[in-house]
Amino acid sequence: MQRLLLASLVAAAAAAAPRRVAVTGAGGQTGQLAFRRMLARRDEFDPIGIVRNAQRRDELVEKGVPADNVRVADVTDAQAILEALEGCEALLIGSSAKVATLEFDTGVIDPATGRPKLGFPKGQPYEVDWLGQRNQIDAAKKCGCTHVVICSSMGGTNPDHMLNGLGRDDGDPATKGNILQWKRKAEQYLIESGLTYTIIHPGGLVDKPGGCRELVVGVDDVMVDGEGTNTIPRDDVAETMVQALRHEAFRNRSFDLRSKLEGDGDPTSDFARLLAPLGGRDCDYSLGKIPDD
Ligand SMILES: NC(=O)c1ccc[n+]([C@@H]2O[C@H](COP(=O)([O-])OP(=O)(O)OC[C@H]3O[C@@H](n4cnc5c(N)ncnc54)[C@H](OP(=O)(O)O)[C@@H]3O)[C@@H](O)[C@H]2O)c1
């Protein structure tokens, strides 16, 4: 009898313990916002921010983030990411290849556009958005994470989207550029993994305060005229990633996310009902192109 009582007390304590949730890209923008939103809710979350290298970790710690909550792992290193996820029950993926001007110092100009040439000097989408996300999904499964949330992007239904052209001429065309296609491949991999998933396709990200706008959901890049802009604050995406862990309605869903302008509509607060307008519809992965590996 006493043993039973002790077991139920232990179970109750475990149930009330803050959830250990990892977030990659924690030194970047949206990932860091999601990390900070969880750090601000310590009764509910004990987040682990995963950053690419020691420099990024030091930057966060210098800004007051507890060192115990930061782990270093390059997402293209399968073993490192496996070790970084140890003990975590859920994963928010905020890592991504980053577009930048190539050879900034030498001011290389793209003859086709007359502008500084853009590319992915710190890792191509094939490496970061496909192999790096696959590593994270595999590691999540091995570690017993039960829910993976991806911050991806709108535009995935259009193989000729302008973003897919960035970095394409930077070597072997089979593995260069095509960021939205490699993201989509990782999304499908997650869906097929058997893990609980939430895939968010934000519109253009803007650095405006979160919590001030009405959010608009959709699927397959379809935007109804007059229903919001094609942009959304990073902070609102970050909050939606965190809320996805809280509400049943986000389990095994893939959707587009945009916002109305501030003052147009009521700021979204009831996240349990955010996806209600979709009536159960999800993004259709037969649209767009998913490349072979
Ligand atoms: N920009 C837009 O308008 C837009 C629109 C829709 C969707 N999105 C997508 O939304 C997501 C968030 O975008 P964002 O601009 O907020 O993110 P971001 O600031 O570019 O952050 C990306 C993060 O990924 C990290 N990262 C890259 N390669 C890595 C590696 N090999 N190992 C570990 N970490 C690595 C970066 O680390 P470092 O800082 O060390 O490089 C950075 O912290 C991305 O998937 C992006 O493609 C963007």
Side-chain angles (χ1 to χ4, degrees):
M1 186 66 183
Q2 260 183 337
R3 257 197 213 154
L4 254 178
L5 187 65
L6 190 63
S8 53
L9 282 175
V10 169
R19 302 172 69 182
R20 181 151 269 208
V21 175
V23 49
T24 55
Q29 299 175 90
T30 308
Q32 185 171 159
L33 289 165
F35 183 36
R36 289 184 178 280
R37 280 184 169 270
M38 292 192 287
L39 280 170
R41 295 171 184 154
R42 294 305 293 259
D43 53 332
E44 192 179 350
F45 297 106
D46 181 21
I48 296 295
I50 300 178
V51 295
R52 186 206 291 263
N53 54 35
Q55 185 196 329
R56 285 278 182 262
R57 180 195 54 211
D58 295 348
E59 284 166 5
L60 286 179
V61 172
E62 273 165 29
K63 285 192 260 173
V65 172
D68 286 350
N69 289 85
V70 187
R71 294 180 187 168
V72 174
D74 188 311
V75 298
T76 61
D77 181 338
Q79 183 59 29
I81 201 72
L82 182 63
E83 287 166 18
L85 282 187
E86 199 193 320
C88 297
E89 64 165 85
L91 167 65
L92 310 183
I93 298 183
S95 60
S96 175
K98 286 169 81 165
V99 179
T101 44
L102 292 176
E103 300 176 55
F104 185 74
D105 293 340
T106 56
V108 168
I109 297 295
D110 186 343
T113 63
R115 297 202 190 111
K117 198 166 175 188
L118 295 173
F120 297 94
K122 287 164 85 179
Q124 276 277 344
Y126 171 76
E127 290 140 12
V128 181
D129 293 277
W130 165 228
L131 300 180
Q133 290 198 73
R134 188 177 70 181
N135 285 342
Q136 292 177 68
I137 294 160
D138 288 345
K141 210 167 176 176
K142 283 188 194 150
C143 290
C145 280
T146 51
H147 192 164
V148 176
V149 179
I150 295 182
C151 174
S152 181
S153 179
M154 283 184 73
T157 62
N158 178 9
D160 300 321
H161 194 286
M162 171 275 283
L163 290 176
N164 284 323
L166 294 173
R168 244 186 205 158
D169 59 354
D170 197 14
D172 176 2
T175 57
K176 302 299 174 194
N178 292 329
I179 186 164
L180 298 178
Q181 296 183 21
W182 293 117
K183 282 182 185 296
R184 208 160 173 82
K185 189 170 178 77
E187 293 166 33
Q188 187 158 55
Y189 189 77
L190 174 59
I191 290 169
E192 290 168 359
S193 72
L195 293 165
T196 298
Y197 63 86
T198 306
I199 297 163
I200 303 173
H201 295 140
L205 299 177
V206 292
D207 292 321
K208 298 278 182 194
C212 304
R213 300 183 180 205
E214 183 171 326
L215 304 185
V216 179
V217 293
V219 291
D220 301 333
D221 297 326
V222 175
M223 292 192 279
V224 178
D225 271 354
E227 269 188 26
T229 67
N230 60 0
T231 64
I232 179 165
R234 283 186 165 85
D235 205 21
D236 283 322
V237 177
E239 177 64 8
T240 308
M241 292 174 82
V242 176
Q243 292 285 347
L245 301 173
R246 282 180 159 166
H247 302 291
E248 188 69 25
F250 287 91
R251 294 170 70 87
N252 299 330
R253 302 301 303 271
S254 174
F255 59 93
D256 302 342
L257 188 64
R258 302 177 287 113
S259 71
K260 294 187 178 178
L261 287 175
E262 200 174 331
D264 177 13
D266 299 321
T268 295
S269 56
D270 184 0
F271 280 85
R273 298 214 33 88
L274 178 68
L275 301 187
L278 296 180
R281 283 176 302 141
D282 282 290
C283 290
D284 177 356
Y285 283 81
S286 69
L287 303 173
K289 183 175 171 197
I290 294 186
D292 294 330
D293 199 2

